[in-house]
Amino acid sequence: MPPPVFRFAPSPNGFLHLGHARSALLNFDLARQSGGRLLLRIEDIDTTRCRPEYEQAIYEDLAWLGLTWEEPVRRQSEHLALYREAVDRLMREGLLYPAFESRAEIARLVDAKDRAGPWPRDPDGAPVYPGTGRHLAIDERDRSLSSGAPYALRLDMDAAAARADPLFWTERGAGPGGETGQVPAKPEQWGDVILARKDTPTSYHLSVVIDDALQGITDVVRGQDLFWATGVHRLLQELLGLPQPVYRHHGLVLDEAGQKLSKSTRSTALRDLRAGGTTPAQVRRLVGINPA
Ligand code: GLU
């Protein structure tokens, strides 16, 4: 049996905090205990928010925690052509369509829908896209495309879900409601998700499944905030003929008010804790992970 392959996949759009430390340490420990490998992947496709100094800080903070990982580190921004191929494939298969509405226009459309009765929200609480772009007449779509207007490429969720049998994933951790074992994927909860944009040929959902497959990841260990996104990932794996890893979602580290930590909560940033004299062993304790 080849060894299991784990990955820690942060986005360099802020400094790592205690929540990242929990994920990174879990991945590291599980890889160690199982004789597996640990890869580090930099998820830097969002060029407006990612910065080289945050990427540098990721290496420093992880090394300080005592982690080691295999080189070379994969940086998603260096593989856009690969993601574009998958987008083209889904496009050819009629599963993607361009949607031209701005965020403000979508908010107005949702408002109007809400007035007629509560419009569905996705598992993150955001309103599901009302699907207006899917019904755009071909000539109107062509006109907007040739005008150079910005657009998002959205997955036609009904068409995509109809291509796959009911899907499940193997959960070795637990979801927010304790879901574990064979969990039914419910990608339709998310509606017509964005898989690419005019100027960015990919999205979190698309590049994460492509990279997990390409890097031979067998075990995805990450926070529970991504639990329901796994349904979209399972569907994309089916559509693109990619293997499925097993998943282990872990509970989030919460702040004193019981909220999920964010990259702007400086008090829990690893570099601030380090500057204040906290040791790596104390970080392990703070995030509830036994000494290595
Ligand atoms: N890049 C994502 C984040 O920083 C994590 C992706 C994943 O583990 O699937 O939240």
Side-chain angles (χ1 to χ4, degrees):
M1 269 273 281
V5 186
F6 295 79
R7 69 3 176 232
F8 177 58
S11 298
N13 54 13
F15 293 119
L16 298 185
H17 53 57
L18 286 174
H20 298 105
R22 178 178 282 174
S23 256
L25 288 166
L26 268 175
N27 272 291
F28 180 67
D29 289 0
L30 287 164
R32 273 260 191 102
Q33 288 155 13
S34 59
R37 301 165 53 202
L38 176 64
L39 309 184
L40 175 61
R41 182 165 78 222
I42 301 294
E43 302 211 323
D44 59 349
I45 51 173
D46 182 352
T47 48
T48 58
R49 295 173 64 220
C50 293
R51 291 210 234 130
E53 55 271 35
Y54 290 137
E55 182 178 334
Q56 196 48 43
I58 288 173
Y59 303 132
E60 287 166 17
D61 291 348
L62 294 180
W64 172 71
L65 278 180
L67 263 71
T68 51
W69 54 88
E70 287 182 22
E71 299 282 349
V73 168
R74 184 176 176 86
R75 299 167 80 232
Q76 290 188 325
S77 58
E78 291 168 359
H79 301 279
L80 297 184
L82 185 80
Y83 309 133
R84 192 184 298 274
E85 275 173 33
V87 168
D88 289 347
R89 172 171 166 188
L90 295 172
M91 197 75 184
R92 277 196 307 276
E93 293 182 14
L95 295 175
L96 297 183
Y97 64 88
F100 297 92
E101 300 94 342
S102 64
R103 268 175 222 271
E105 277 163 342
I106 295 177
R108 270 198 301 278
L109 287 166
V110 169
D111 262 1
K113 299 263 185 203
D114 266 338
R115 258 175 262 129
W119 184 250
R121 263 45 185 179
D122 71 22
D124 284 347
V128 166
Y129 173 69
T132 18
R134 200 186 327 135
H135 307 297
L136 206 63
I138 302 281
D139 55 342
E140 216 175 313
R141 190 175 283 182
D142 288 348
R143 216 173 314 127
S144 297
L145 282 175
S146 50
S147 78
Y151 58 83
L153 288 176
R154 290 184 175 270
L155 182 67
D156 183 336
M157 187 54 84
D158 287 344
R163 292 273 183 100
D165 290 331
L167 298 170
F168 294 82
W169 79 83
T170 303
E171 176 63 44
R172 299 232 170 106
E179 300 85 353
T180 193
Q182 291 302 300
V183 177
K186 299 177 196 161
E188 60 287 347
Q189 294 173 306
W190 297 93
D192 291 357
V193 284
I194 295 177
L195 290 193
R197 292 183 188 273
K198 180 170 178 248
D199 300 317
T200 312
T202 190
S203 57
Y204 160 64
H205 294 309
L206 190 66
S207 38
V208 86
V209 296
I210 291 177
D211 283 358
D212 283 342
L214 202 99
Q215 295 189 288
I217 304 300
T218 58
D219 293 70
V220 171
V221 178
R222 62 185 178 192
Q224 249 166 18
D225 51 339
L226 293 168
F227 186 80
W228 292 114
T230 312
V232 176
H233 302 170
R234 273 299 293 123
L235 177 59
L236 291 175
Q237 286 156 359
E238 282 308 290
L239 296 176
L240 295 170
L242 303 174
Q244 50 166 321
V246 300
Y247 291 85
R248 181 190 294 257
H249 291 91
H250 59 77
L252 301 177
V253 180
L254 302 177
D255 66 13
E256 276 137 34
Q259 298 295 310
K260 177 180 151 184
L261 301 183
S262 83
K263 285 185 170 142
S264 52
T265 330
R266 292 301 301 248
S267 58
T268 62
L270 297 180
R271 44 194 39 226
D272 292 353
L273 291 167
R274 173 162 87 236
T278 304
T279 65
Q282 285 168 327
V283 169
R284 274 189 175 266
R285 275 198 294 279
L286 281 170
V287 299
I289 298 186
N290 291 332

